[in-house]
Amino acid sequence: MPATGDELGRRLRDGDLSAAPAVLNLVESRAPGHKDEIDALLHAVSPAALGGEARAHVVGVTGPPGVGKSSLLSELVRTWRADRRSVAVLAVDPSSKRSGGALLGDRARIAVDPADRAVFIRSMAAGGRLGGLAPATRAAAHALAAAFDVVVVETVGVGQSETEIAEVADTVAVVVQPGGGDVLQFLKSGIMEIPDVLVVTKADLGQVAQRSRRDLHAALRSLGARDTEVVAVSSLAPATGFDELVAALDAHRDSLDITARRLEARRASALADFVAEHGERGRRALGGQRSALKLLGVQDAALDVPALTRVLEEAAAS
Ligand SMILES: Nc1nc2c(ncn2[C@@H]2O[C@H](COP(=O)(O)OP(=O)(O)OP(=O)(O)O)[C@@H](O)[C@H]2O)c(=O)[nH]1
Ligand SMILES: [Mg+2]
């Protein structure tokens, strides 16, 4: 008999990290009745049940294929563990529709100590679009945030993926290739929203990485984004820049109004879940994105994601 959503939620509330695999199995399940169990899980880890917002720092890490995300996460997890923080990583794998990327075989995996019980890593299937999050990923991130100190959601993409990941993450780190001008152009033209932290990888390449860092820093200042830090890291041994990266992520978290950010994230998640289920027709039935968000904006702040999704379903049906 598999664990119920309510039971798993209780274990997470008690800080039981060993519940993580069963939580992932549940949110990815297609078995009959699984939806009610997922709702029960999310209800059991809602701020109402927790007596406040979930403890974790939810960090989004996003960047183009081959930029060095997996290598970076191996080092970042090591740095957090040295600080005794428990870490869950949900790596959204776009491989089903991969168009180029790190050359096959040139792809690093996130490397962690398999005996370390306070680290949980899982690949998850992508949502509809490149960089898109599946409802299961949002549910997993919300649930695991009740038990882990850090929950990372990693996605592949550039220019769009940051917007989706901002729907679940407290802090979004965009990972940039040294010498790659895409992000600079996207930022300047306003295609891309300003990330919370920018990370230039492969700092061991020297000049080119330092130059990218300076250019990005200058571009951000000219856009008036004085608070976005640009950090350069190298994930090759001996790794460098990771204490600085952790400090930049922490500083962003400390600057947040976490209650407001999480409330916004729950509302955005509910709408995304609704659209995943009912498609564009559903969105139109609500009078479009803007009026759907307006409807969510007047709901009780204590409602969890499934309850907010039901509000949308009732509105669309009436
Ligand atoms: N020189 C150098 N190479 C790196 C560094 N980080 C990663 N690489 C190399 O870059 C390649 C891609 O690294 P990954 O960590 O797999 O990059 P990724 O962003 O996870 O790639 P995808 O999963 O395909 O999107 C590998 O060959 C890595 O060895 C770094 O800091 N310095
Ligand atoms: Mg990777």
Side-chain angles (χ1 to χ4, degrees), residues 188-208:
K188 283 184 174 167
S189 60
I191 289 176
M192 187 174 142
E193 277 183 53
I194 292 167
D196 302 316
V197 176
L198 269 169
V199 190
V200 179
T201 53
K202 310 185 187 181
D204 51 279
L205 300 181
Q207 285 299 323
V208 63

Side-chain angles (χ1 to χ4, degrees), residues 70-71 74 107-112 123:
S70 301
S71 309
S74 304
R107 207 170 184 213
R109 292 179 66 99
I110 303 173
V112 295
S123 281

Side-chain angles (χ1 to χ4, degrees), residues 210-283:
Q210 287 315 320
R211 211 199 137 132
S212 291
R213 184 188 187 169
R214 279 198 304 276
D215 290 351
L216 287 163
H217 188 76
L220 288 167
R221 299 214 100 185
S222 76
L223 291 166
R226 298 187 172 274
D227 295 334
T228 298
E229 290 196 55
V230 189
V231 182
V233 302
S234 171
S235 308
L236 292 192
T240 58
F242 283 88
D243 289 337
E244 205 184 341
L245 177 54
V246 167
L249 296 170
D250 287 349
H252 179 262
R253 167 68 147 90
D254 292 343
S255 74
L256 274 183
D257 177 346
I258 199 77
T259 312
R261 177 100 173 198
R262 295 272 174 92
L263 179 59
E264 209 181 307
R266 283 193 292 280
R267 288 170 175 168
S269 286
L271 180 54
D273 285 354
F274 172 85
V275 172
E277 180 83 24
H278 303 281
E280 281 309 316
R281 273 186 69 188
R283 204 198 308 259

Side-chain angles (χ1 to χ4, degrees), residues 61-66 69 92-94 98 107 130-132 154-158 161:
V61 171
T62 188
K69 298 176 297 300
V92 176
D93 184 0
R98 212 138 83 89
R107 207 170 184 213
L130 187 66
E154 182 210 339
T155 64
V156 181
V158 62
S161 51

Side-chain angles (χ1 to χ4, degrees), residues 124-197:
M124 300 188 78
R129 285 161 286 143
L130 187 66
L133 292 184
T137 307
R138 283 190 289 271
H142 282 300
L144 296 180
F148 285 83
D149 296 320
V150 185
V151 175
V152 176
V153 180
E154 182 210 339
T155 64
V156 181
V158 62
Q160 277 283 299
S161 51
E162 324 78 48
T163 317
E164 288 245 1
I165 212 167
E167 290 171 358
V168 297
D170 305 321
T171 301
V172 178
V174 170
V175 187
V176 185
Q177 181 88 29
D182 286 9
V183 166
L184 202 60
Q185 292 314 316
F186 287 164
L187 282 171
K188 283 184 174 167
S189 60
I191 289 176
M192 187 174 142
E193 277 183 53
I194 292 167
D196 302 316
V197 176

